[in-house]
Amino acid sequence: MNRIKTLTLAVAATALAASSFTAQARDFRLGLITPPQHLWSTEAEAFAETLAERSDGEHSVSVFPAQQLGNEAQMVQQLQTGALDMAFLTIAEISNRIPDFGALYAPYLVDDVDHAAALLRSDTAGELLELMPQGVGLVGLGYGMVGMRQVLSREPIERAEDLEGLRLRITPFEPIRDFYTAAGAAPAPMPLLEVYDALANGQVDAIDMDFDSILILKFYEQAENLLISNHMMFPMVGVVSGRVWRELSDDDRELIDTAMSEHLENVLAGFQQMDADQEAEIRQLDLNIVEADAAFFSEAIAEWESIWAEKAPMLEALREEAERLRQ
């Protein structure tokens, strides 16, 4: 992705009308929605340490996890005004504003976390980052992710028909909403940190979630049925406010780009390393486990494709790249 990234940053500088500013020490603010113990949050803290060290203390980063600065829609607004400097964002919120990013959520686009990481490292995925400066006023420096999506539920899901009418928690964005609507469920957007109580009091019947969050936040205590489907990957993007980016010197841009990219790579590699162990740990819990593949969701996939093939033209190129990476 080096060639793409170089082009992206050059385009960003032009699109955002970069000016020449005198370098000055800054305390950047970085927001994200995950709790402090989550890998995104720990790598954000590690990025802060790296940037402080490599700038000889000239720059620092204050990290605000667990939605301390608001939900992702609110953080995007803050980034656009320059009130927030940086963020690790799910692609969800970006796809609400740039539909081509929704292609990354195509059902069964990738097979597993290794395949997902390879696709996110590709030049094809990198091309999407070029859309961000003009599309949303942010500069995307690279991707992270969490594990593949599964369905944890209060009652067993053994057939596709069992999803019918289920109030199912999702991250609030269109591609996943359209998938579960096509599957007959009733998608319920909800912040991550409200999910445990919502399962406990029956506000939701099921949740769309990855192994990591199921374990860290102990959602299995309130729902004892797990559909291991690996039906979608769930990318994250590291971003800098366009307004902030144009105030930075070329040296500071390079410094931030290099440091953040390294820690985003740590996120990708981390989930690749953790996934098998987390699945093994979950299989040791007292859960009713059912496994599903693309055939399980065939009707929902067909309906999703009918919506998003036209909405996200990059889908075809991403599918071609994903198939190439399988070989």
Side-chain angles (χ1 to χ4, degrees):
M1 273 175 53
N2 289 339
R3 179 182 62 81
I4 290 294
K5 177 168 287 185
T6 299
L7 177 60
T8 299
L9 300 184
V11 170
T14 301
L16 298 167
S19 302
S20 176
F21 285 77
T22 302
Q24 55 183 340
R26 298 188 63 150
D27 178 23
F28 298 104
R29 289 155 46 92
L30 188 154
L32 64 170
I33 64 170
T34 49
Q37 66 270 39
H38 193 277
L39 185 58
W40 293 6
S41 301
T42 58
E43 284 298 329
E45 293 285 0
F47 160 68
E49 294 175 7
T50 298
L51 189 63
E53 178 182 341
R54 293 183 185 174
S55 67
D56 294 324
E58 181 180 352
H59 299 313
S60 61
V61 180
S62 298
V63 177
F64 297 87
Q67 298 191 129
Q68 291 180 37
L69 302 180
N71 61 30
E72 288 198 330
Q74 292 166 328
M75 283 194 282
V76 167
Q77 291 175 349
Q78 294 169 39
L79 287 160
Q80 289 173 326
T81 65
L84 178 61
D85 303 294
M86 306 170 178
F88 286 178
L89 299 171
T90 69
I91 299 296
E93 184 57 36
I94 303 301
S95 71
N96 287 340
R97 298 159 187 264
I98 307 174
D100 261 316
F101 275 93
L104 290 169
Y105 295 101
Y108 295 96
L109 172 65
V110 296
D111 304 330
D112 52 32
V113 291
D114 290 332
H115 195 193
L119 183 59
L120 292 173
R121 293 181 181 117
S122 72
D123 285 351
T124 305
E127 290 174 15
L128 286 168
L129 299 177
E130 296 182 45
L131 305 176
M132 295 185 69
Q134 290 188 336
V136 72
L138 310 180
V139 177
L141 299 186
Y143 294 105
M145 67 177 183
V146 292
M148 303 294 289
R149 309 310 285 177
Q150 324 295 343
V151 182
L152 186 71
S153 58
R154 289 160 56 92
E155 300 295 331
I157 298 173
E158 298 177 346
R159 306 171 303 154
E161 291 77 10
D162 293 334
L163 287 161
E164 190 71 35
L166 284 188
R167 185 166 173 78
L168 191 149
R169 180 270 173 185
I170 64 167
T171 307
F173 68 115
E174 292 182 7
I176 201 166
R177 183 203 66 192
D178 290 344
F179 175 72
Y180 281 113
T181 298
M190 182 177 296
L192 181 65
L193 300 182
E194 295 178 12
V195 171
Y196 187 94
D197 288 343
L199 277 174
N201 62 29
Q203 184 180 349
V204 294
D205 305 303
I207 61 175
D208 175 90
M209 198 60 59
D210 58 279
F211 291 144
D212 187 61
S213 294
I214 290 171
L215 289 168
I216 288 178
L217 299 174
K218 301 184 185 298
F219 295 138
Y220 58 83
E221 293 179 346
Q222 301 300 333
E224 300 178 349
N225 302 278
L226 179 63
L227 184 70
I228 296 181
S229 53
N230 296 310
H231 56 275
M232 286 180 185
M233 67 171 172
F234 201 83
M236 171 265 278
V237 63
V239 302
V240 178
S241 161
R243 287 178 178 267
V244 171
W245 188 258
R246 72 177 180 226
E247 296 172 357
L248 299 174
S249 67
D250 289 343
D251 286 345
D252 281 344
R253 290 177 189 167
E254 178 63 26
L255 183 66
I256 291 167
D257 176 33
T258 301
M260 186 179 287
S261 295
E262 289 175 10
H263 290 283
L264 291 170
E265 173 58 29
N266 288 348
V267 172
L268 290 177
F271 277 102
Q272 286 182 268
Q273 294 167 5
M274 293 189 300
D275 188 70
D277 288 342
Q278 289 178 333
E279 180 172 351
E281 184 178 350
I282 278 181
R283 288 183 181 274
Q284 293 300 312
L285 299 174
D286 188 20
L287 297 177
N288 172 45
I289 293 177
V290 174
E291 301 194 38
D293 58 15
F296 186 96
F297 293 105
S298 59
E299 292 185 10
I301 292 171
E303 186 171 334
W304 190 95
E305 292 280 348
S306 71
I307 297 170
W308 282 90
E310 181 177 350
K311 206 169 188 179
M314 276 294 293
L315 178 57
E316 182 177 356
L318 286 167
R319 283 206 182 281
E320 289 176 358
E321 181 65 15
E323 185 57 36
R324 185 189 69 79
L325 292 167
R326 284 191 180 96
Q327 299 169 1

